[in-house]
Amino acid sequence: MRSLLCVPGSKLAMLQKAFGTSADQIIIDLEDSVTPLDKPLARENVEEFFRSLKTDKRVSIRLNERTSDEIKADRTLIRALRGGPLTSVILPKIHTLDDVRFWNRYLPREFSFEVQIESAMGLVNTAAIASHSRVHSLAFGPADFMASTGMPSSAPGTPSKEVPRALEYPLSEIVIAAHAYGKLAYDGPYFEIANQVGLSDSANTARALGADGKWAIHPDQISIINELFTPSEEEIETAQRIIDAFDNSSGAANFNGLMIDEASKKVAERLLERATRIHK
Ligand code: GLV
Ligand code: MG
């Protein structure tokens, strides 16, 4: 998945619109974008909406955190959605492997887990969390992470303008842990919805660090994310030429001034695999 669009479950019109966008995955939120008062309405909307939903997209619901009073009602909803288009649940604020084990016992077996790492404790335990067999992907939650670690910003969720790289380390740690266990890794949302340059920078950084995709919180963010997470023609061509140059060498070669070897070939192959997956 390149783009994962997160929409509040309480807003029916937004839900309907989301499925008409080019987002690869839709996340219907019951957590932070829905006020406590609106949570029952959000669950009713989702149940009603799923009765007629037909879609090729991956569909997920973000539940409330383990310690919240909402989780019984969330579980009742998830049970009612068995056998329909729901593919996974997003688990926010996962801090420990024990949190994953709790949800594993609590929720019906057929839905995989996509967990959000968004606290200092979660980051410390990322590898153990990624190792759980039911975990399909890890996603970064920059706003909650900034709150958890006391990172200052006048635009919570995005680093301060003076130190724009402040979130690279936690994201990188999440990407590495996810890939160590063969899971997918996603960057979280970019909160300045009118700032396309900022969004591009953030998505470019995430891709450079090895993330597979990025959350969107507004339909206008989807095309930028899809484009940046799709290998370009030029990248594909270069990867193919690196592979050819290596295959025609005796183990190492000079490719236009770049020294390439077996590892360079693997990087190129990984890019081609990604391009094939996305284009098919
Ligand atoms: C997303 O959940 C975030 O906290 O940024
Ligand atoms: Mg969060």
Side-chain angles (χ1 to χ4, degrees), residues 244-277:
D244 293 346
F246 176 78
D247 286 347
N248 291 322
S249 76
S250 53
N254 182 335
F255 173 72
N256 300 335
L258 173 76
M259 186 52 82
I260 57 168
D261 62 8
E262 185 76 38
S264 330
K265 182 180 172 181
K266 285 185 195 150
V267 173
E269 283 174 343
R270 197 81 200 250
L271 181 118
L272 294 185
E273 272 164 36
R274 179 175 179 83
T276 312
R277 223 176 26 244

Side-chain angles (χ1 to χ4, degrees), residues 195-218:
N195 182 355
Q196 301 203 335
V197 174
L199 173 64
S200 296
D201 287 348
S202 161
N204 261 322
T205 301
R207 188 172 169 220
L209 294 176
D212 295 287
K214 181 171 174 65
W215 283 32
I217 43 172
H218 191 284

Side-chain angles (χ1 to χ4, degrees), residues 31-32 62 92-93 116 118 141-145 191 215:
E31 201 222 13
D32 281 354
R62 180 164 77 165
K93 301 180 178 69
Q116 282 188 285
E118 42 185 356
D144 275 304
F145 185 81
F191 289 87
W215 283 32

Side-chain angles (χ1 to χ4, degrees), residues 132-146:
H132 194 284
S133 60
R134 207 167 159 188
V135 170
H136 171 83
S137 73
L138 302 183
F140 185 38
D144 275 304
F145 185 81
M146 291 180 83

